[in-house]
Amino acid sequence: MSDKTSQYNLVAQQNQSTVVGEYILSSVREESYQSEAELERAFIKQLESQAYEYLSITSETDLVLNLRHQLEKLNNIQFSDTEWEKFFKTAIANPNQSIEEKTTTIQEDSRKLLYRDDGSIKNIDLIDKKSIHNNSLQVLNQYTPEEGQRANRYDVTILVNGLPMVHIELKRRGVAIQEAFNQINRYQRESFWADSGLFEYVQLFVISNGTHTKYYSNTTRNQHIKEANQNSAKKGKRSSNSYEFTSWWADATNRPITDLMDFTKTFFAKHAILNILTKYCVFTSDKQLLVMRPYQIVATERIMNRIEVSTNYKKLGTVEAGGYIWHTTGSGKTLTSFKTSQLVSKLDYIDKVIFVVDRKDLDYQTMKEYDKFQKGAADSNTSTAILKQQLENPESRIIITTIQKLDRFIGRNDGHIIFDGHIVLIFDECHRSQFGNMHSAITKTFKNYHIFGFTGTPIFAINASGGGRPDLKTTEQAFGDKLHTYTIVNAIADKNVLPFKVDYVSTVREAENIEDKKVNDIDREKVLASPERLENIVGYIREHFDQKTKRNSFYRLKDRRLAGFNSIFAVASIPMAKQYYLEFKKQLADLPSDKQLKIATIFSFGANDEDADGLIDENSEDTSGLDMSSRDFLENAIKDYNGMFGTSWDTSSDKFQSYYKDVSERVKNREIDILIVVNMFLTGFDATTLNTLWVDKNLRLHGLLQAYSRTNRILNSVKTFGNIVCFRNLERVTNESIALFGDKEASGIVLLKAYGDYYHGYRDGDKEIKGYKSSIDELLQEFPVNEEIISESGKKEFIKLYGSILRLRNILTTFDEFAGNEMLSDRDIQDYHSKYIDLYHEFRKTIDEDKENINEDLVFEMELIKQIEINIDYILTLIKKYHEDNTQDKEILVDINKAIDSSIELRNKKDLINQFITSLDIQSNVDDDWHRFVEEKKVEELEAIIESEELNREATYAFVQNAFRDGAIAGTGTGVAQIMETKPSRFSPDGAYTKKRESILQKLTRFFEKFFNISRREFEER
């Protein structure tokens, strides 16, 4: 390949930097129209200029032959035919291996044993992780698998040593990038598993429409298979299969590199892609492959570089040997610090890596990951004695422990030999708890150390506290230089965290005040703690809880279908927490079960409830400092909790720590609606289901941003921002905090706009952004609700307009001012929804699945429609009303059909529901007869399928029963084959087997969609 050197156009070919420092975009722009085929050709040409070898391979035979040649070259060996056949079938194309096991092979077990014909054994590397440039990179395009449900043709695939490891799906410029994402999901259903299953080795996916390019790991696809076949029902948004979890590539200044050609020059630079595949993926203990984002890779490499340089220049034991990483809360600091610890521990000249966390931040998942990487690494957090054993054990290269236990070890082991070792200390969240005496003890005791800290909210001179040591006021003084920054502005712009929407609610009325409007700060403590005010606030929270937490929106979490999100209520003091808890109990006491909220509280003694520097003093998990009345109160609140959840916690030391952990898990699982706290859970706590923070507490600077950031973790397309509802006027301090931890222009990005901007519209530079009111005016004028839309162009305009209205409604419904200003009646919304969904299906039916979607300019906001819950219970209520009117009120029949038509989930059950209505007579009991009717129809229709397709009756009933249990028909695997009584040959030239399998799947899928989620009874085996 040396003759091509002159034409290589490499950007940053060096081993140290995976992410280019600063990328200058090309100033030359093409002007001509570019087709998808032309985009693909340009992409491949760019890869060839970067020393990728182009392959023209169209058959699996050639693909496997190339794999053999590449592995022979990498391992300097010649396989005999028998050796290769056995090695290929057992080590590479083993039909019993899943995507998870193949990912394990690449990430953790890429050295395989070859049993040679002469009886000897040789190691065969599938990928060289130590010398990455020994690996070969090839590119092929338009590959078509020979088996599979459909004849799919893949756009572009990158082979590493002959194995497909990166797959790229392209759409032409102007087409939505999500189309490429959806196409990859279709491939996973239909063909990635086909032939020898080599495409299940793909670790990373890249999607691009030329203009925008993103990447993500195989976890998204693999988890989708598991959810569809095993764990969870089909309905609802799945975070694991969500486009929201794809990532932009960027340079080290966090500037996104989105154009495909620019992306290719950087992401697909040989050293970059090989580093990402071999170093910067994390395969978790839950078998999830996580690929790091560019800012995480930069941070890791900056720390590695600082360790190397400071060691060479003999700067150990000084701040010049360390530094800190400022990555905003919610951006994945723990993953970055874990990967950093992992890579540093492999350096020959490092004796120990000590990963230090606060006790309250040591979660189960972190311990599992460290234990998976090195058995017993996390045991050192359980006792100081075990920490001592591991520090003395040369085989224990990496240790995870708490600040408290490390401090105790230092105090008890003066002169220990480990203090002379070459040690790297990494603090997962370098709050003030690492400053002062603790920091002094560590830096005085260890001699040859590097100390690094990760923080989302650094302490600068402007927000440093007044007390303590003058030389340890700021994060930089304690840890050294800032090595990399990724602010909240970067994270929101990249959509790695959500923006906030802040409401400021008036809580004290004066004569001229209007309730629920922004008011001047009311800072009169006596008034703030008055029972009347607290009663009003609890009433406000109860009244607005469903609205703020989106309880009319549905999604799936693990194996549960959930409605909306949950919240934390941060209050100023323990006495106020007690008052609020009692007030909630009082106001909820006599309400019916469907109006109840699950309320819990947790607090413990903290030395400084409110600190002048704005940092929340995290309460310890110890109740011994509480006064007797507060401890007794907490004891009773925990008894309420035990009654609610069947637990047995109390305020004793061990059980209170268990209570803390149990509360944490139940908030994460959305089992608690409102958690009342003083300081606990306002830093370092991550719960993706939490979207609202109610605030009756003075917050500022890093304490404020830490608290707000509990609400802005990405979950799915239903959760669009973090809700902050302030019962004190925190507007000025909110803006100060955002300016400090973002930049001076940050507030416009971090906070959503005001209600009026969304309702009436606003200007964004020279661009006029249309508001909700003018959009509705246009809708009513151009598309009256009772008039049909005839032209195709009119239908497209309606879809665009109504889609934008749905997006605006999704935001506006969380503003109090929107009530009464919706402009559309409930019936109007139903009718427009029906029209919108009908058009959705009409356009989708015109698209052949194997052809490009010609309607890429249409964006259907289907997820938002789920805000209106029209389910089978609602339909049965209408049917009951119709029956009680002795089946005479034909208007109700119209309502029933409109309700069905406006629900995506019920449309395929329409015939069944109408058949049931026809069967009613004056003696009918709607509830009982419905369930009886459904069960009879289930059996009748399944029997018809069994007979028409000649299926095994017992096996089919078991297959369907599993589908109802798991929430989806198993479309992959051997399930369908096992229920066939007679099977055509898989190799018949007319494809009879595939046709038979698809026919059965289609019928069973229609059957499943008709009967799933409409009966409370289990499907009974016959």
Side-chain angles (χ1 to χ4, degrees):
M1 302 291 286
S2 58
D3 59 323
K4 292 190 177 182
T5 303
S6 61
Q7 61 178 283
Y8 292 163
N9 181 22
L10 302 181
V11 176
Q13 178 74 47
Q14 57 167 315
N15 292 328
Q16 289 76 25
S17 178
T18 302
V19 178
V20 65
E22 184 173 5
Y23 185 75
I24 307 301
L25 300 178
S26 172
S27 58
V28 180
R29 285 193 49 79
E30 300 286 342
E31 295 183 359
S32 60
Y33 177 89
Q34 185 182 49
S35 68
E36 185 177 316
E38 289 168 333
L39 177 67
E40 185 176 299
R41 283 195 293 273
F43 173 53
I44 292 172
K45 184 179 178 183
Q46 179 62 41
L47 288 172
E48 286 185 282
S49 78
Q50 294 174 202
Y52 285 67
E53 178 190 359
Y54 176 72
L55 294 178
S56 180
I57 284 181
T58 56
S59 70
E60 192 197 29
T61 302
D62 290 341
L63 187 66
V64 174
L65 184 61
N66 177 68
L67 171 61
R68 175 177 175 172
H69 292 331
Q70 297 305 318
L71 291 180
E72 286 176 337
K73 185 172 73 172
L74 177 67
N75 293 279
N76 193 24
I77 187 178
Q78 291 290 320
F79 295 106
S80 72
D81 290 345
T82 54
E83 285 172 349
W84 171 250
E85 186 175 355
K86 186 175 180 182
F87 182 76
F88 180 71
K89 288 184 176 177
T90 56
I92 297 176
N94 188 329
N96 296 320
Q97 287 190 335
S98 65
I99 292 174
E100 289 177 349
E101 288 159 322
K102 289 174 180 175
T103 302
T104 303
T105 288
I106 299 303
Q107 295 299 325
E108 299 174 352
D109 188 26
S110 59
R111 176 165 286 179
K112 300 294 185 182
L113 294 179
L114 169 68
Y115 296 91
R116 309 214 66 175
D117 293 340
D118 62 7
S120 63
I121 300 174
K122 180 174 174 59
N123 289 325
I124 299 294
D125 286 323
L126 300 184
I127 185 168
D128 189 336
K129 296 187 176 182
K130 288 188 176 178
S131 302
I132 59 170
H133 289 292
N134 288 339
N135 300 292
S136 66
L137 290 175
Q138 298 169 302
V139 54
L140 61 85
N141 67 323
Q142 298 300 307
Y143 180 83
T144 304
E146 293 161 20
E147 295 181 8
Q149 293 176 2
R150 286 186 173 83
N152 292 321
R153 182 175 288 132
Y154 308 150
D155 284 350
V156 183
T157 305
I158 303 298
L159 307 180
V160 180
N161 305 324
L163 275 176
M165 285 203 201
V166 186
H167 178 69
I168 303 98
E169 198 60 33
L170 302 174
K171 293 294 172 187
R172 65 174 168 80
R173 296 180 190 272
V175 175
I177 191 177
Q178 288 93 330
E179 291 290 331
F181 181 84
N182 295 337
Q183 194 154 331
I184 287 173
N185 284 342
R186 181 161 67 80
Y187 290 162
Q188 68 84 15
R189 292 194 303 271
E190 296 173 356
S191 60
F192 272 136
W193 45 265
D195 300 337
S196 298
L198 293 183
F199 273 80
E200 291 191 317
Y201 279 100
V202 170
Q203 303 293 285
L204 303 178
F205 293 97
V206 173
I207 51 176
S208 180
N209 60 6
T211 308
H212 292 142
T213 309
K214 303 190 83 174
Y215 71 103
Y216 59 99
S217 73
N218 71 8
T219 290
T220 301
R221 178 171 58 86
N222 183 38
Q223 190 67 11
H224 176 56
I225 297 171
K226 290 172 68 176
E227 288 176 340
N229 292 342
Q230 300 169 12
N231 297 336
S232 64
K234 204 170 181 178
K235 300 192 311 176
K237 192 72 177 176
R238 301 179 187 89
S239 61
S240 58
N241 190 40
S242 174
Y243 175 77
E244 283 79 11
F245 283 79
T246 57
S247 297
W248 300 107
W249 188 243
D251 64 15
T253 68
N254 305 315
R255 183 182 184 182
I257 301 171
T258 62
D259 185 89
L260 179 60
M261 294 301 108
D262 296 318
F263 180 93
T264 305
K265 291 173 186 176
T266 52
F267 184 86
F268 281 117
K270 284 183 119 176
H271 74 287
I273 189 62
L274 289 169
N275 273 340
I276 293 166
L277 286 167
T278 59
K279 290 183 184 176
Y280 298 118
C281 289
V282 175
F283 194 44
T284 72
S285 56
D286 294 330
K287 304 293 185 184
Q288 302 283 292
L289 183 68
L290 307 178
V291 57
M292 294 175 75
R293 293 169 175 149
Y295 60 88
Q296 295 174 311
I297 296 172
V298 174
T300 302
E301 293 189 335
R302 294 270 170 92
I303 289 175
M304 299 285 288
N305 183 256
R306 177 56 60 96
I307 290 171
E308 184 180 355
V309 171
S310 60
T311 300
N312 290 339
Y313 281 86
K314 297 182 170 47
K315 297 289 186 181
L316 302 186
T318 70
V319 288
E320 294 172 85
Y324 74 95
I325 302 295
W326 172 13
H327 283 182
T328 191
T329 304
S331 62
K333 289 188 300 297
T334 301
L335 175 68
T336 313
S337 51
F338 167 72
K339 175 52 75 172
T340 303
S341 302
Q342 192 185 69
L343 292 175
V344 170
S345 71
K346 294 178 181 177
L347 296 174
D348 294 337
Y349 53 87
I350 298 297
D351 295 317
K352 300 279 182 193
V353 177
I354 305 176
F355 183 75
V356 189
V357 297
D358 194 306
R359 177 177 54 225
K360 64 182 286 300
D361 294 330
L362 183 58
D363 68 358
Y364 178 61
Q365 191 64 40
T366 305
M367 289 193 291
K368 277 205 303 183
E369 300 315 326
Y370 275 98
D371 202 56
K372 176 174 179 280
F373 176 63
Q374 182 178 301
K375 201 70 181 166
D379 292 346
S380 46
N381 85 87
T382 56
S383 75
T384 309
I386 293 176
L387 172 60
K388 183 174 185 291
Q389 289 171 16
Q390 293 192 328
L391 286 170
E392 292 168 352
N393 180 0
E395 299 303 313
S396 294
R397 303 270 297 157
I398 188 167
I399 294 169
I400 176 172
T401 191
T402 63
I403 296 163
Q404 294 81 4
K405 289 187 173 61
L406 182 60
D407 189 39
R408 202 172 299 133
F409 171 82
I410 290 170
R412 294 177 183 176
N413 292 276
D414 189 33
H416 196 284
I417 191 171
I418 194 62
F419 300 142
D420 294 319
H422 194 164
I423 305 297
V424 176
L425 293 139
I426 296 178
F427 287 83
D428 183 40
E429 189 62 78
C430 55
H431 292 154
R432 191 181 55 226
S433 51
Q434 284 90 59
F435 290 19
N437 295 336
M438 167 78 70
H439 188 277
S440 299
I442 290 169
T443 54
K444 281 180 181 175
T445 307
F446 288 96
K447 307 293 188 295
N448 302 305
Y449 67 85
H450 310 263
I451 186 167
F452 297 98
F454 285 80
T455 182
T457 49
I459 298 173
F460 306 114
I462 191 172
N463 61 316
S465 62
R469 289 179 47 174
D471 60 332
L472 288 176
K473 293 272 189 163
T474 67
T475 306
E476 187 168 338
Q477 285 176 322
F479 288 89
D481 296 340
K482 179 177 66 182
L483 300 180
H484 191 248
T485 302
Y486 186 76
T487 69
I488 189 168
V489 177
N490 299 136
I492 290 173
D494 290 345
K495 295 183 169 55
N496 288 328
V497 298
L498 300 172
F500 305 113
K501 183 175 82 65
V502 187
D503 293 350
Y504 303 100
V505 178
S506 167
T507 58
V508 179
R509 267 196 273 181
E510 298 176 10
E512 70 278 10
N513 277 15
I514 301 173
E515 192 177 7
D516 295 347
K517 297 293 181 184
K518 293 181 183 180
V519 295
N520 293 329
D521 189 13
I522 308 223
D523 195 15
R524 297 185 286 275
E525 288 305 319
K526 207 167 186 180
V527 175
L528 292 174
S530 69
E532 295 83 4
R533 177 176 176 272
L534 270 59
E535 180 183 346
N536 287 339
I537 288 174
V538 170
Y540 181 93
I541 292 173
R542 279 185 44 237
E543 182 183 345
H544 294 85
F545 182 83
D546 286 359
Q547 169 201 6
K548 297 299 181 188
T549 61
K550 290 181 170 286
R551 284 303 166 100
N552 290 323
S553 297
F554 295 87
Y555 61 97
R556 294 206 70 82
L557 181 73
K558 299 175 183 174
D559 59 346
R560 297 164 61 221
R561 185 171 187 260
L562 299 178
F565 308 103
N566 55 349
S567 65
I568 284 178
F569 187 9
V571 304
S573 64
I574 291 174
M576 285 189 81
K578 290 155 64 175
Q579 284 180 269
Y580 271 120
Y581 184 80
L582 291 175
E583 185 60 38
F584 270 110
K585 283 187 71 173
K586 175 184 164 187
Q587 292 195 26
L588 293 169
D590 300 322
L591 294 179
S593 59
D594 63 330
K595 299 292 184 184
Q596 287 293 332
L597 294 173
K598 289 185 177 177
I599 311 293
T601 188
I602 187 166
F603 49 79
S604 64
F605 177 74
N608 302 295
D609 282 341
E610 303 272 0
D611 199 275
D613 65 1
L615 185 67
I616 295 167
D617 184 34
E618 303 103 10
N619 291 167
S620 68
E621 292 171 37
D622 183 6
T623 55
S624 60
L626 290 173
D627 62 78
M628 189 55 68
S629 69
S630 295
R631 183 158 179 173
D632 288 346
F633 185 94
L634 186 58
E635 190 81 37
N636 287 324
I638 295 175
K639 282 179 184 174
D640 292 344
Y641 182 94
N642 291 336
M644 194 159 36
F645 296 113
T647 51
S648 55
W649 314 124
D650 57 40
T651 59
S652 61
S653 179
D654 289 346
K655 287 200 171 183
F656 184 72
Q657 288 191 31
S658 297
Y659 173 61
Y660 176 96
K661 290 171 184 170
D662 197 64
V663 168
S664 171
E665 284 306 305
R666 292 190 192 278
V667 173
K668 290 179 182 182
N669 291 330
R670 218 228 62 189
E671 296 174 59
I672 293 171
D673 294 316
I674 301 175
L675 177 65
I676 302 171
V677 302
V678 181
N679 288 336
M680 280 182 159
F681 287 88
L682 296 181
T683 62
F685 174 68
D686 290 346
T688 56
T689 64
L690 203 150
N691 86 320
T692 300
L693 177 73
W694 316 93
V695 184
D696 189 15
K697 178 183 180 71
N698 291 331
L699 295 168
R700 60 189 293 266
L701 299 175
H702 38 314
L704 179 143
L705 192 59
Q706 287 281 350
Y708 282 17
S709 295
R710 298 315 101 209
T711 67
N712 74 337
R713 300 302 193 271
I714 288 174
L715 176 61
N716 52 34
S717 63
V718 178
K719 185 179 177 184
T720 50
F721 48 80
N723 249 328
I724 314 297
V725 183
C726 295
F727 301 110
R728 302 187 182 205
N729 190 349
L730 302 180
E731 185 170 12
R732 179 181 56 81
V733 291
T734 294
N735 292 335
E736 279 179 6
S737 178
I738 290 165
L740 179 64
F741 297 115
D743 61 40
K744 296 296 180 187
E745 307 302 320
S747 59
I749 302 174
V750 178
L751 301 180
L752 264 71
K753 295 184 176 296
Y755 167 80
D757 290 337
Y758 292 110
Y759 195 81
H760 297 291
Y762 59 94
R763 291 195 67 81
D764 183 4
D766 295 333
K767 191 176 179 182
E768 191 75 36
I769 306 299
K770 192 186 296 185
Y772 177 82
K773 185 178 185 303
S774 61
S775 296
I776 294 291
D777 288 339
E778 183 181 345
L779 178 74
L780 294 171
Q781 182 175 337
E782 298 296 326
F783 306 104
V785 70
N786 292 321
E787 291 184 15
E788 288 301 309
I789 306 171
I790 306 300
S791 70
E792 183 165 321
S793 61
K795 290 174 181 178
K796 287 187 176 183
E797 285 304 313
F798 169 76
I799 289 166
K800 287 181 182 177
L801 177 61
Y802 196 64
S804 68
I805 289 169
L806 284 172
R807 288 193 295 275
L808 285 166
R809 279 183 68 90
N810 191 37
I811 296 171
L812 285 168
T813 51
T814 63
F815 285 93
D816 300 342
E817 298 98 310
F818 191 54
N821 292 311
E822 296 90 344
M823 296 180 68
L824 294 177
S825 68
D826 291 343
R827 175 62 65 87
D828 286 343
I829 292 169
Q830 254 190 324
D831 287 337
Y832 276 122
H833 274 359
S834 296
K835 189 175 295 190
Y836 188 69
I837 295 170
D838 283 338
L839 289 175
Y840 173 87
H841 286 285
E842 177 183 324
F843 277 97
R844 284 299 183 262
K845 281 177 184 174
T846 64
I847 302 163
D848 187 323
E849 284 198 349
D850 292 320
K851 294 179 182 174
E852 184 182 348
N853 183 352
I854 59 168
N855 298 310
E856 67 276 351
D857 56 329
L858 303 184
V859 178
F860 292 94
E861 298 293 323
M862 300 308 294
E863 194 64 35
L864 303 181
I865 288 176
K866 294 179 186 174
Q867 287 185 315
I868 296 175
E869 184 186 6
I870 298 172
N871 54 23
I872 197 65
D873 293 331
Y874 177 73
I875 300 294
L876 286 176
T877 302
L878 291 177
I879 293 172
K880 277 185 193 175
K881 186 178 177 187
Y882 173 66
H883 182 253
E884 286 163 4
D885 289 343
N886 295 320
T887 68
Q888 298 302 309
D889 189 349
K890 302 304 178 187
E891 281 295 313
I892 297 178
L893 287 180
V894 174
D895 289 344
I896 290 170
N897 280 302
K898 283 195 173 187
I900 295 169
D901 286 341
S902 67
S903 168
I904 300 168
E905 295 169 359
L906 294 180
R907 287 166 70 87
N908 52 20
K909 310 179 197 304
K910 186 172 184 176
D911 290 345
L912 190 70
I913 294 168
N914 285 328
Q915 284 176 40
F916 174 63
I917 294 170
T918 306
S919 74
L920 294 175
D921 58 35
I922 198 164
Q923 280 84 32
S924 297
N925 179 300
V926 171
D927 276 335
D928 292 345
D929 287 0
W930 166 251
H931 295 300
R932 194 178 304 114
F933 175 81
V934 167
E935 295 305 316
E936 289 171 358
K937 283 290 181 184
K938 267 187 194 175
V939 173
E940 178 186 317
E941 294 196 16
L942 187 57
E943 289 289 341
I945 295 171
I946 290 169
E947 185 174 341
S948 67
E949 293 289 348
E950 299 177 334
L951 304 180
N952 180 294
R953 178 170 278 98
E954 185 177 344
T956 304
Y957 271 89
F959 180 83
V960 172
Q961 188 176 25
N962 289 339
F964 280 107
R965 180 197 66 201
D966 298 334
I969 287 285
T972 56
T974 60
V976 176
Q978 289 172 355
I979 68 175
M980 294 185 197
E981 198 78 83
T982 57
K983 299 185 183 73
S985 169
R986 287 174 181 263
F987 306 106
S988 57
D990 61 351
Y993 175 83
T994 302
K995 290 175 185 173
K996 173 84 169 172
R997 188 177 184 278
E998 283 205 20
S999 172
I1000 294 168
L1001 260 179
Q1002 285 172 1
K1003 288 181 180 178
L1004 288 178
T1005 300
R1006 280 197 297 269
F1007 169 84
F1008 172 82
E1009 288 175 350
K1010 179 185 269 191
F1011 289 102
F1012 182 59
N1013 260 13
I1014 60 170
S1015 172
R1016 296 184 180 90
R1017 300 176 189 172
E1018 290 284 333
F1019 187 79
E1020 297 174 4
E1021 286 190 66
R1022 301 288 184 222

